[in-house]
Amino acid sequence: MYYGFDIGGSKIELTVFDAGLTPVWNIRVATPREDYDALLHTLAALTAQADSLSGAAGKIGVGVPGLQSGEDGALFTANLPATMGRPLRRDLSQLLRREVRIANDASCFALSEAWNPACRAYPVVLGIILGTGMGGGLVVNGRLVSGRNGMTGEFGHLRLPVDALEILGRDIPRVACGCGQYGCIENYLSGRGFEWLYQHFYHEQVAAPQLIERYRAADERASEHVGRYVAALAVCLGNLLTLFDPDLLVLGGGLSNFSELYTLLPEKLPAALLPVARLPRIEKARYGDAGGVRGAALLHLMDE
């Protein structure tokens, strides 16, 4: 059996999968955000439940909202204080007496999508989450590319490129980011950024679903806003497509439900690419919220 953990700021989700990636058991509990020992105890207790159900010690993969670096795998998890600076992989492996694999939750999302039966034929899959933040992952020939510092896929922390500044205005505020930098693209292009841009230009706070409703009702401001947002998103995605040249681009997160993106982006992207470039296939994520646990379980299965 394969156990996929998705640790978030408010909940921990565990799904047990069989060898065919069919989910057989699922549970969600509150995350001990501030207490590392309590977090370890919670993960160990959930694992014991899963082992009892499975009748064996399953293989464990964990998705976390952050990065692991250094020889001991110390985590950088700004939104999960309990694990900040802690070697969770090492400590959990020792506690459970088996190998535990850990990856960024957005990378787990990308891995899950790349392993969909309909996507296995694509050698290079790029997954992008447009949610509260903006992140993603890169999968090549079915294997996650993590990089030396586990940073591959932290696309939201690239800074606004010059072409995006031409679209948004060179005087656009360089918004402070949780990573310590200014002008990171996730503050403008995530779901949260989609709302921020509208408020910046029109001085009205409107939630993304309502903005989309206004756009579909042909509201002038909403139409102008979506055009500006898509143009900036296309510029930033164009840089990623030029760098990684994927066969498939998968969008996840709340804004992936904005169905018009799949028509608007292919119209705007060619201008951001080299003249010889062909657009990759662009699709909406298939697994929704379940992608994190599924991808975490795949951290073991991808090597078998």
Side-chain angles (χ1 to χ4, degrees):
M1 293 291 189
Y2 299 87
Y3 303 169
F5 283 94
D6 185 9
I7 303 177
S10 60
K11 68 171 177 62
I12 297 172
E13 181 172 6
L14 165 62
T15 300
V16 175
F17 297 86
D18 65 17
L21 274 185
T22 300
V24 298
W25 186 66
N26 174 269
I27 188 171
R28 295 184 180 190
V29 300
T31 302
R33 283 179 47 84
E34 306 286 343
D35 189 329
Y36 185 62
D37 289 337
L39 178 66
L40 288 175
H41 175 77
T42 299
L43 295 173
L46 291 173
T47 300
Q49 286 183 260
D51 285 348
S52 178
L53 174 74
S54 304
K59 296 184 177 181
I60 298 172
V62 181
V64 295
L67 306 172
Q68 59 175 340
S69 61
E71 293 184 3
D72 64 353
L75 292 178
F76 178 84
T77 49
N79 295 320
L80 188 57
T83 58
M84 188 68 162
R86 299 281 195 163
L88 180 63
R89 173 175 51 82
R90 185 194 68 189
D91 292 346
L92 197 56
S93 295
Q94 291 176 351
L95 180 63
L96 299 177
R97 298 180 181 179
R98 73 193 79 168
E99 180 189 8
V100 173
R101 296 187 179 183
I102 291 181
N104 175 266
D105 51 6
S107 293
C108 290
F109 147 78
L111 185 61
S112 174
E113 293 297 324
W115 271 66
N116 177 274
C119 300
R120 293 299 301 276
Y122 297 106
V124 181
V125 177
L126 180 64
I128 301 288
I129 292 177
L130 302 174
T132 304
M134 180 181 178
L138 179 68
V139 180
V140 178
N141 295 324
R143 292 182 56 82
L144 186 65
V145 179
S146 297
R148 181 183 181 190
N149 298 294
M151 293 190 301
T152 304
E154 287 296 320
F155 309 126
H157 296 291
L158 300 176
R159 253 67 80 197
L160 284 170
V162 62
D163 288 350
L165 292 175
E166 295 295 339
I167 295 164
L168 301 178
R170 289 186 173 271
D171 60 346
I172 191 88
R174 305 310 194 262
V175 179
C177 184
C179 73
Q181 299 290 345
Y182 292 82
C184 291
I185 62 175
E186 79 165 18
N187 292 300
Y188 309 89
L189 301 180
S190 63
R192 173 173 47 83
F194 183 75
E195 297 172 352
W196 182 91
L197 282 174
Y198 189 87
Q199 183 176 18
H200 170 73
F201 283 101
Y202 303 109
H203 311 292
E204 181 185 5
Q205 187 172 354
V206 184
Q210 284 67 54
L211 287 174
I212 292 171
E213 286 180 8
R214 292 184 186 185
Y215 172 78
R216 289 171 176 165
D219 176 85
E220 183 177 353
R221 283 186 169 183
S223 297
E224 184 178 64
H225 168 67
V226 168
R228 182 187 295 112
Y229 171 83
V230 170
L233 178 62
V235 163
C236 294
L237 287 180
N239 287 341
L240 298 179
L241 298 185
T242 299
L243 181 62
F244 298 115
D245 199 15
D247 301 279
L248 173 66
L249 171 64
V250 182
L251 301 181
L255 279 183
S256 69
N257 296 314
F258 184 15
S259 58
E260 287 85 348
L261 282 180
Y262 304 95
T263 300
L264 296 170
L265 275 175
E267 293 174 355
K268 292 290 186 180
L269 275 169
L273 301 175
L274 293 170
V276 297
R278 294 176 296 162
L279 286 179
R281 187 177 184 88
I282 304 175
E283 293 189 358
K284 178 184 174 181
R286 291 169 166 81
Y287 295 99
D289 291 342
V293 290
R294 188 173 181 274
L298 276 163
L299 294 173
H300 281 280
L301 195 55
M302 69 178 180
D303 289 332
E304 298 179 358

